[in-house]
Amino acid sequence: MDKQFRFGVGLHTVRSAAALAETARRLEGSGFDVLHVPDHLGAPAPFPALVAAAAATTTIRLGTYVLNACFYKPALLTRDIAATDLLSGGRLEIGLGAGYVQAEFEAAELPFPNAARRIEYLEHVTTYVSTHQPRVPILIAGSGDRLLRVAARHADIIGLTGAPVAGADDALAERVSFVRAAAADRFEAVELNLAITAVPTDASGMPDLSLTRQFAPTLSDQELLAMPAVLSGSPHEMADTLREYRRRYGLSYFTVQQNHAEAFAKVIAALR
């Protein structure tokens, strides 16, 4: 049986407490299931923002997409997770990643280990958090083999990017197949997520590709438009695309950016 759709939205700016409360209530009313805050220097601090959003809402879940595990000691992070989950009435979901922006490590006066060491530390943090806060769902997002193996062993939710994979005609199918094999008996219980990076925001049906291009600067516009993370067409056409993603790949949880929320709410309405 297909899993139920869920929809998340990333909140990247906070202008004031009142504005955050209004935005959180509006997103909840628009049908979004999860409000995410990222973990980048220059963006809002995740846990205070999530607690403020929780105080203004009643049903929307709160999450991080995603915390840079290398910024935290496990026991201290788990304390913040426990407090935020308590203050949100048990609505917290924790997204974790290995971190990738070297300049942010340097600005935080932290060493920047190689990718293998960062992923090793991500697994250490994930194991600690899941042991001490087992009721809080954990999302791990990424695309590489090492990281997805960690996700397959530990995550309740696995975030995929839809990025090209060398030698694969269908990169998303290849990554889902990889996760299925790595997760083995756990796979059926895992929720699969896709981060949507481009959505049409007007009647043209054509998305702004600027964010997607940041992650794939060498691809042409046509190649970018063909990526699973890029949606095109009318709200009903985009809804059909997401139904097909669920049927073909098992994806049921989709996240968009804050500037896509108003347009994407029409897609949510078409799917419910």
Side-chain angles (χ1 to χ4, degrees):
M1 180 179 294
D2 288 334
K3 291 184 172 68
Q4 289 189 345
F5 282 118
R6 289 207 305 156
F7 305 101
V9 57
L11 184 69
H12 291 266
T13 58
V14 173
R15 298 189 305 275
S16 68
L20 172 57
E22 190 280 328
T23 297
R25 286 191 291 265
R26 176 169 46 80
L27 293 169
E28 183 178 63
S30 297
F32 286 95
D33 300 287
V34 190
L35 173 64
H36 291 289
V37 177
D39 189 23
H40 292 290
L41 296 184
F47 291 114
L50 292 175
V51 169
T57 57
T58 56
T59 59
I60 195 168
R61 295 183 65 80
L62 297 312
T64 56
Y65 203 116
V66 293
L67 292 181
N68 180 346
C70 295
F71 281 180
Y72 303 93
K73 294 297 184 182
L76 300 179
L77 175 59
T78 301
R79 179 183 64 176
D80 286 348
I81 289 170
T84 303
D85 189 53
L86 174 68
L87 294 172
S88 68
R91 287 187 275 155
L92 184 64
E93 301 180 2
I94 286 296
L96 295 169
Y100 63 93
V101 183
Q102 183 172 352
E104 292 189 3
F105 283 79
E106 293 169 352
E109 299 183 14
L110 292 169
F112 183 64
N114 63 34
R117 294 294 300 276
R118 297 198 309 275
I119 293 170
E120 179 182 318
Y121 189 73
L122 166 66
E123 184 162 27
H124 170 60
V125 171
T126 302
T127 301
Y128 189 99
V129 169
S130 63
T131 299
H132 291 83
Q133 286 294 310
R135 67 176 304 280
V136 177
I138 292 177
L139 176 150
I140 295 178
S143 59
D145 288 2
R146 285 196 187 102
L147 190 143
L148 288 179
R149 287 192 189 99
V150 171
R153 286 193 290 268
H154 301 287
D156 303 289
I157 308 159
I158 298 179
L160 301 171
T161 67
V165 175
D169 293 330
D170 187 334
L172 199 49
E174 190 278 338
R175 291 289 80 185
V176 170
S177 178
F178 181 91
V179 167
R180 182 188 293 274
D185 292 344
R186 296 188 71 246
F187 182 77
E188 292 305 321
V190 171
E191 185 178 35
L192 297 181
N193 165 270
L194 179 66
I196 302 296
T197 59
V199 173
T201 56
D202 57 31
S204 72
M206 293 300 295
D208 178 357
L209 297 173
S210 56
L211 177 61
T212 313
R213 188 171 285 110
Q214 291 179 26
F215 298 100
T218 64
L219 299 186
S220 68
D221 283 1
Q222 287 304 114
E223 289 171 320
L224 293 176
L225 286 167
M227 290 178 66
V230 174
L231 298 181
S232 303
S234 70
H236 283 282
E237 288 170 332
M238 288 186 278
D240 286 342
T241 297
L242 298 188
R243 289 189 188 99
E244 180 63 12
Y245 285 177
R246 183 171 66 175
R247 185 196 68 79
R248 183 184 300 180
Y249 306 114
L251 295 163
S252 59
Y253 179 16
F254 301 91
T255 58
V256 299
Q257 303 305 307
Q258 184 177 355
N259 60 313
H260 300 146
E262 183 177 353
F264 194 75
K266 298 175 183 177
V267 181
I268 295 175
L271 288 166
R272 288 182 167 160

